[in-house]
Amino acid sequence: DKVIRRELELGPGDLLSREKMLRSQHRLYRLGVFRSVRVSHEPMGEADPELQRLVVRVDEARPLAYSVGVGYDSDRGPQGSFTTTHDNLGGRVRTLGIQAFVSDTLRRAQIVGGEPRLFGRTLPTLVDYSREYREDPGYTMDRRSTAIRVDRRINEAWAGYVRYNYQRQDLSNISDPDAPEDEKLEDLQLGDIGVTLLRDRRDDPLMTTSGTYFTISARIFNEFLLSESEFVKSRIAASGTWSFTNGTSFATSIRLGLLNTYGSTTSVPISERFFAGGQSTIRGFELDEVGPQEDGRPTGGEASLILNQEFRFPVWGRFGGVLF
């Protein structure tokens, strides 16, 4: 009841407003824990017909969900994933999720908890802990990371968040004895605080058919934040999708990344450098093979500019094709 009441824009003694009833219904739907929401009113009695009772009827969605996936990737070989989430712990819209991913070269586990109202204010907050074991060309990395993120919606289109992240990375199986000094391949702890602004006008985040998306972010790594390296990592990304009446669509994106060291730091750790090549950046190339290399081993860069365009078209039923 407490969760429902705080989302209502009408209280005892207020004038009845159809607009406020619709906005209250919309706010309740956006919580993501109700399958249906109906907001109506009815007379309280014959003594005063002007007095109305606000009636809210909700049908709760199933809070527990899970997914299992198996597949094959040309870079990482056979892979599997498992995810389970609870979206309404204690009836307070608190979330808890557990994710796991396993492949030949990457193993990752993550626990994520969400609180919709930090200190009683509309500040959605996420806390997560992750452990990652990754085999890269020339070295193996074992990384543990803890982060806290506070979100803030500015208006209907713009939102932002502030995030602090602390990570510890331990490296082993380094093939080049000179790499630790030349490429910043060493055991390291990093701490940073970052700010991100985003504008999302897509019709669907996963299966976008129209709309635009823009984000700009900056992360500061500093000794005061428990970081052994000091640098600034900035990113700007923009994308757009346009659909046509024959079922085809065109999508384009641009991504820019910059790294700048300061203080006594002269080289950015390899784990925070930019890499390109592979299905999530430039398809048609092997993983991370686009950019600086040393003896055939990707070393990453301190700047990145990636442009993608693709033309999507229907083939048969739910199957489609892409030219990129």
Side-chain angles (χ1 to χ4, degrees), residues 54-66:
L54 192 69
V55 181
V56 181
R57 294 182 175 89
V58 298
D59 181 16
E60 292 188 33
R62 293 181 179 179
L64 190 63
Y66 66 91

Side-chain angles (χ1 to χ4, degrees), residues 9-23:
E9 295 194 6
L10 286 166
D14 291 345
L15 289 174
L16 201 62
S17 167
R18 183 66 178 172
E19 182 180 353
K20 289 184 177 180
M21 289 172 60
L22 289 173
R23 285 205 302 263

Side-chain angles (χ1 to χ4, degrees), residues 5-214:
R5 291 178 187 276
R6 74 186 182 200
E7 298 298 327
L8 299 177
E9 295 194 6
L10 286 166
D14 291 345
L15 289 174
L16 201 62
S17 167
R18 183 66 178 172
E19 182 180 353
K20 289 184 177 180
M21 289 172 60
L22 289 173
R23 285 205 302 263
S24 299
Q25 185 180 35
H26 179 67
R27 286 164 60 99
L28 288 168
Y29 264 123
R30 286 185 59 177
L31 293 177
V33 297
F34 299 121
R35 195 185 346 247
S36 66
V37 178
R38 289 171 290 169
V39 181
S40 60
H41 62 89
E42 60 186 25
M44 290 189 66
E46 298 181 357
D48 190 345
E50 291 187 351
L51 292 178
Q52 299 285 311
R53 177 185 290 109
L54 192 69
V55 181
V56 181
R57 294 182 175 89
V58 298
D59 181 16
E60 292 188 33
R62 293 181 179 179
L64 190 63
Y66 66 91
S67 65
V68 178
V70 294
Y72 179 85
D73 184 274
S74 58
D75 295 315
R76 295 195 169 100
Q79 58 188 31
S81 63
F82 172 78
T83 301
T84 181
T85 58
H86 195 296
D87 293 328
N88 195 16
L89 286 173
R92 297 299 179 91
V93 202
R94 296 187 177 108
T95 60
L96 180 65
I98 300 174
Q99 304 171 358
F101 178 89
V102 179
S103 73
D104 284 347
T105 60
L106 176 64
R107 294 185 287 278
R108 182 176 61 240
Q110 185 177 27
I111 300 175
V112 182
E115 166 60 56
R117 297 176 69 90
L118 183 64
F119 305 128
R121 305 186 65 181
T122 310
L123 294 171
T125 303
L126 290 175
V127 178
D128 74 77
Y129 172 80
S130 63
R131 179 78 178 266
E132 179 180 282
Y133 184 83
R134 190 175 77 236
E135 298 178 12
D136 285 328
Y139 65 94
T140 299
M141 177 183 293
D142 184 3
R143 174 158 50 188
R144 289 150 288 177
S145 177
T146 303
I148 180 170
R149 166 178 152 175
V150 180
D151 292 32
R152 178 69 175 178
R153 176 157 292 280
I154 302 171
N155 53 41
E156 193 65 28
W158 287 91
Y161 61 84
V162 178
R163 182 175 184 265
Y164 172 76
N165 181 73
Y166 172 81
Q167 57 179 300
R168 176 76 195 183
Q169 57 186 40
D170 298 315
L171 285 84
S172 60
N173 302 325
I174 300 175
S175 59
D176 185 355
D178 297 324
E181 181 177 352
D182 298 339
E183 301 172 16
K184 202 70 173 178
L185 274 177
E186 57 189 1
D187 295 347
L188 198 65
Q189 69 177 27
L190 296 172
D192 74 277
I193 190 167
V195 178
T196 298
L197 288 175
L198 60 91
R199 185 180 189 272
D200 191 352
R201 306 301 289 173
R202 298 171 295 180
D203 59 345
D204 189 293
L206 297 179
M207 301 293 291
T208 306
T209 59
S210 65
T212 59
Y213 182 81
F214 172 81

